[in-house]
Amino acid sequence: MIDLSVNIGSLKLKNPVMPASGCFSFGKEYADFYDLSQLGAITVKATTLEPRLGNPTPRVAETPGGMLNAIGLQNPGVEKVIAEELPHLRKYDIPVIVNVAGTTVEDYVAVTERLMDSADVDAIEVNISCPNVKCGGIQFGTDPAQAAHVTESIKKVSKVPVIVKLSPNVTDIVAMAKAVEAAGADAISMINTLVGMSIDLHKKRPLIANGVGGLSGPAVKPVAVRMTYQVAQAINIPIIGMGGIMDGEDAIEFLMAGATAVAIGTANFVNPMACPEIIEGIQTYCEQNGVANVRDLVGVAWK
């Protein structure tokens, strides 16, 4: 029997696979395809203090080997998320991670404080890396001092593990990781999307209304694996690796680079069964390669 369980701080996961925030909404649509209890955890859509309509459409476009998006953190606001979106997830035997976003540090703190009143939140993922909003998000994710400040501020009010989501759009991602670890982060998730653009040759305009967007999918995987490999050797807290994972072998690559768990994004749009199939793929790899405990794979590429 293969042991697929992993720990992200004090969070215990039955396997290392979860959907990435923003690519799974609040899980209701995917629950029509499979039992969400199969997941290691679920990370729900970014949640802000007030409701957000997001950016103008079109805001998603397919690219060679990937996808551009500029959703702009559309969400119903923290009060509706607590009242209408989170309770249905409690029936599944999985930890619920809520991605938190804001324009100011005070926004992040206020959303986290409100979420702490809910029994349906098992961890906070701090979104300091969204490239598709004009204020907040990535402005905190590109400066180590600001990233540390928002992390410290959230840690003061959070009663659950705090996971900080890093941006790849920086000169030195290791410095960012060390800064949030020193500020008290319990784990890191990485990478968010790379800033990209695609142009419609007939309209002579960018494909998405926002002009630029976040590039995800298989095209970014080598960048994500490289950054995971570098950061994992520099810090002592767990990493949730993500960026172009499409199958079990992709997930194994992230584990070998140093990730303790993985998050699945674009693959969910291609195949709604991607997450359970990736769990099965990890198990099959372990069976075929004599790996009794999936944790033995973490960081083997550099240990």
Side-chain angles (χ1 to χ4, degrees):
M1 184 70 178
I2 309 297
D3 184 358
L4 294 181
S5 65
V6 298
N7 292 336
I8 300 295
S10 60
L11 213 58
K12 299 184 185 307
L13 281 59
K14 69 184 74 170
N15 66 67
V17 177
M18 67 190 78
S21 174
C23 302
F24 210 71
S25 190
F26 295 94
K28 291 177 180 173
E29 295 86 348
Y30 289 88
D32 291 337
F33 290 91
Y34 61 91
D35 180 0
L36 301 186
S37 297
Q38 295 179 57
L39 297 167
I42 182 170
T43 309
V44 301
K45 197 160 175 24
T47 299
T48 55
L49 196 57
E50 304 294 339
R52 288 197 186 193
L53 294 175
N55 291 326
T57 58
R59 49 193 188 185
V60 176
E62 189 173 354
T63 64
M67 182 180 80
L68 277 174
N69 90 82
I71 304 300
L73 301 179
Q74 178 191 12
N75 78 93
V78 68
E79 296 302 332
K80 277 201 171 184
V81 168
I82 291 173
E84 300 177 11
E85 303 293 353
L86 297 182
H88 82 97
L89 293 173
R90 246 335 50 147
K91 65 186 176 189
Y92 302 106
D93 181 26
I94 51 173
V96 175
I97 303 169
V98 179
N99 184 287
V100 169
T103 303
T104 64
V105 173
E106 289 74 21
D107 282 349
Y108 284 91
V109 170
V111 176
T112 303
E113 285 182 318
R114 186 66 190 91
L115 288 169
M116 291 304 99
D117 293 333
S118 169
D120 299 324
V121 181
D122 297 302
I124 296 292
E125 182 179 62
V126 186
N127 186 347
I128 58 168
S129 50
C130 178
N132 302 320
V133 289
K134 290 183 171 60
C135 299
I138 201 165
Q139 78 182 60
F140 298 105
T142 54
D143 181 291
Q146 289 200 54
H149 179 44
V150 71
T151 302
E152 286 174 342
S153 301
I154 291 174
K155 280 292 291 182
K156 288 178 182 174
V157 299
S158 178
K159 302 170 187 171
V160 297
V162 172
I163 304 160
V164 181
K165 189 169 188 176
L166 299 185
S167 169
N169 302 298
V170 294
T171 304
D172 186 354
I173 196 166
V174 172
M176 296 297 302
K178 286 183 174 179
V180 301
E181 180 186 36
D186 297 285
I188 284 170
S189 55
M190 58 183 288
I191 60 173
N192 207 323
T193 54
L194 286 153
V195 178
M197 173 183 272
S198 193
I199 293 174
D200 186 320
L201 300 186
H202 301 288
K203 296 179 179 176
K204 302 180 179 64
R205 303 293 301 166
L207 270 178
I208 55 178
N210 194 54
V212 300
L215 178 65
S216 60
V220 310
K221 197 189 82 175
V223 176
V225 171
R226 184 265 294 177
M227 289 186 164
T228 301
Y229 183 88
Q230 290 177 318
V231 169
Q233 294 175 75
I235 63 172
N236 295 303
I237 53 178
I239 296 172
I240 301 170
M242 67 191 83
I245 297 174
M246 303 299 285
D247 56 31
E249 291 190 357
D250 289 340
I252 294 290
E253 197 173 344
F254 274 83
L255 298 179
M256 289 184 173
T260 297
V262 294
I264 314 304
T266 303
N268 292 301
F269 298 111
V270 179
N271 172 16
M273 294 295 292
C275 284
E277 289 180 8
I278 288 169
I279 296 168
E280 186 178 351
I282 294 172
Q283 173 138 348
T284 299
Y285 176 91
C286 290
E287 290 170 351
Q288 293 177 345
N289 291 275
V291 179
N293 188 322
V294 74
R295 298 189 293 278
D296 292 339
L297 293 173
V298 177
V300 296
W302 49 266
K303 286 180 178 174

